[in-house]
Amino acid sequence: MRLAALLAALRPVLPLVLGLSLGCSLSLLRASWSHGGGEDPCLGAAGRAGPPAGGAQPEAEDGRPGQGHEDFRPRIVPYYRDPNKPYKKVLRTRYIQTELGFHERLFVAVLTSKATLNTLAVAVNKTVAHHFPRLLYFTGLRSAKVPHGMVLVAHGDERPIWLMYETMNYIHQHFGSDYDWFYIMQDDTYAQAEQVKALVTHLSINQDVYLGRAEEFIGGDEQARYCHGGFGYLLSRSLLLKLHPHLDSCRNEILSVRPDEWLGRCIIDFLGISCISQLQGQHYHTYELAKNAEPEKEEEEEFQAALAVHPVSDMTLMYRLHKHFSRIQLERAYQEIQELQMQIRNLTSLTPAGEAGLTWPVGINAPFLPKTRFEVISWDYFTEQHLFSCPDGSPKCELSGASKADVSDIIESALEQLNSRYQPSLRFSKRQLLNGYRRFDPTRGMEYTLDLLLEAVTQKGHSHVLVKRVSLVRPLSKVEIIPMPYVTEATRVQLVLPLTVQDLDFVANFLDMYAMNTLDTHDNALLTLLFIYHPYDAQRVSQVDVFAGVKTMVGELEKRYAEVKIPWISVKTEVPSQVKLMDIVSKKHPVDTLFFLASVWTEINMEFLNRCRMNTISNWQVFFPVHFQEFNPALVYRGEQTASSSTDFLRDGHFDRHSFAEACFYNSDYMTARTKLAADILDRDEVLEGMEVFDVFLHYSGLHLFRAVEPGLVQKYALRSCNPRLSEELYHRCVLSNLEGLASRSHLAMALFEQEQANST
């Protein structure tokens, strides 16, 4: 009986025990096969391992990568602190790519001249420059006038050999440690940028590469080749680093007329590397363009596959080549899309969902499926003249700007798709857009549904009017990283805190958080208080100062932190306009000051201050964070628990999109926008009462306004006092912020339910 009871107890875990036993047995068996006593077939006669297949770099005897791999292994730079120097905060890079020493992929140099700078060089810049991550133009002119949108390096000497020598020196000095590949081309060369980028992604960076169109030296009978400069050539970083010490010798010892021959001879003589046209299965295809050639009529396979075309005689020919190759790439992309869609259709039948699992359009993500009714994405209704979901909340507004262009484009695309499907049997033309609906699906893009009144004409000329409903999707395209100026975390942040009498209950908590998160951590952040006196309180300040308690707390902080000074500014006004207050603070600080305009409910922390520094860029971008507002704990928890004990604070609040109280911006940017505002309002100060700093930057600056949710900026619940003396829009925003900050819909519904239950009993 005991044995039966024991077996019954062990029966649930018996499969687990058997699985573990079987797994351990198989692992031991595999280990015996792997470490058997047989000879290794990869060992040579001397017992040493032979070279790996495919030309890979050999490894050292201790199993570590050999010498050829050392430049390409990630390495962490150790931190060393000199004990003789005072302590200084260590600044870490924001990107792991920088800290590990990774390089960018491709740098492009374009050689131009005085005669072609404003013609061919401009054509190169307009056709392919935006496809390359970094492109510079090099010329021998002195004080050359740079065309708009181009970065030009002038060496001051027009001799071709000297220009090539100075260009190679410049590239090594400024970009030699930042890029893996360097592409040199002339301004009379058309290069297919996407093909060149694809070429370098398929090449290994651990070799000395001199790749281009190989040509024989003039009058030479040897096997060495140089790369023809007219068709461009590719240099690897390792080759550039080895070549640089010999450039001075090449300049003095090698005589040549052509700069590409001079560079090729220099590489061959000192490095022993000749130009090649193919490497690792990748071919550098080129095409020599005949005189008076017509790109549209070129049907040769060599022309279609060319990475570089030379010579290009004028700007018009450059644009025609770009148009022709762009059309070829577009046709290849459409063909590839069709092939992928066909493969998806064939594979869908093998999936568990079968044909029903095939989404439309094929290859685009399936529509977003809401889990609750609050996640349902609403459709916006529009016609050709009006939009019925307006940004300002009004029920109807005129369709204009980008929205009008979007509607026109989508109607035109619908007609184009209908005609391509039914021609030549039918030809459609639009009479009227009856109904239009659109919504943005974050998983796939913008979706449209159109009810079109169309006129269909047959081949015999018969026409018929019909209504057709079409559905279209504008899918999300490839995500690109927008280039931004580089900023650091060492910038000093000047906090500005406006205070009114209604804010006195929250000042103590603000100062405690400021001291704990900035003063104790020695963060580079200063604080300025702005005391806003009502005229009645200002008259009685000598008898009773309403801000006396705050000034006492500031004095205690200054005693505790001897090196810290917290200045304050007193202002007397009935209407505390944010713009007027900022005008006073702006005049008392340098133009390069980074302001953080805070509110008394803001909890300062280092995480947000760093994002304030990184997201605010002088003369480029201002940052308006959307803080996280906690709900009223009396409604959310109803005595069960407090907000401070919650482990998931994002569940107990919302991001307050109606508040623009917090802002990060530079004083110089504010002064520039404020000057434009002053010229527009012409001393009408009452206009400022209806504006915030956000409105100033939005309407009177050309800067980027970065408005984003900020989970590091959390505010406890507090009922804000809304000043009715401000504009109607600002007062309405404040009221909405208070109402939406009470609780979520589920919490409010539960509170109402409990109240009704209590009243009924």
Side-chain angles (χ1 to χ4, degrees), residues 224-239:
R225 301 286 188 271
Y226 73 96
C227 290
H228 194 291
F231 298 95
Y233 44 90
L234 198 64
L235 304 177
S236 64
R237 175 174 173 267
S238 59
L239 184 141

Side-chain angles (χ1 to χ4, degrees), residues 505-533:
D505 295 336
F506 310 98
V507 179
N509 181 68
F510 177 89
L511 293 178
D512 290 341
M513 298 300 296
Y514 169 73
M516 180 175 63
N517 294 330
T518 59
L519 300 182
D520 291 342
T521 59
H522 303 283
D523 195 282
N524 195 8
L526 303 180
L527 175 63
T528 297
L529 298 178
L530 199 59
F531 296 142
I532 305 173
Y533 286 90

